[in-house]
Amino acid sequence: MARLLDDAFSKNRRVDDLTGADFQSLRASFAKKWGAHRLGGKVHRARTMFKFGFDTSLNDKPMRFGSMAGLYREQIVDQRLVAVTTHVRERLFSKQKPK
């Protein structure tokens, strides 16, 4: 994860200089590579790294991620339920009823 953040923000970038737009572009680059489940995990890990930095006094203030938080684990579960429900509904109604 640290390598991904280094590639996205460059090694010389100060943490307190990062903005919500930077995190939006990071999330967009993640979304190009991975699906919803892995994307949610990567977003969670990135947020956890910055929270750890604040909790251990490496950062003076907590990070503001902007809309990087747009994908939560609950939304991933909802997406799965919709996909499964749609699949089951298609299977049930596509078969002809026995006479």
Side-chain angles (χ1 to χ4, degrees):
M1 177 50 67
R3 252 186 246 133
L4 291 173
L5 294 175
D6 274 349
D7 294 341
F9 299 135
S10 81
K11 293 182 182 185
N12 298 328
R13 184 91 184 259
R14 291 180 50 93
V15 173
D16 59 359
D17 187 40
L18 297 174
T19 64
D22 296 319
F23 288 107
Q24 285 176 344
S25 65
L26 175 66
R27 187 188 177 284
S29 69
F30 287 173
K32 288 179 186 176
K33 297 177 189 176
W34 300 300
H37 185 71
R38 185 174 285 186
L39 173 63
K42 296 290 183 183
V43 167
H44 178 73
R45 285 182 198 92
R47 292 174 62 92
T48 302
M49 286 182 66
F50 286 102
K51 184 181 179 321
F52 175 79
F54 176 70
D55 290 346
T56 57
S57 300
L58 295 172
N59 300 344
D60 294 336
K61 57 183 180 177
M63 293 301 303
R64 298 189 137 212
F65 296 103
S67 66
M68 183 180 171
L71 187 65
Y72 291 102
R73 293 189 186 278
E74 294 85 16
Q75 289 176 326
I76 293 171
V77 171
D78 288 344
Q79 290 171 357
R80 286 183 185 167
L81 287 175
V82 168
V84 168
T85 305
T86 304
H87 179 69
V88 168
R89 191 178 304 139
E90 288 173 356
R91 288 188 67 201
L92 285 175
F93 294 114
S94 66
K95 294 182 179 179
Q96 293 180 351
K97 293 182 181 179
K99 294 181 182 181

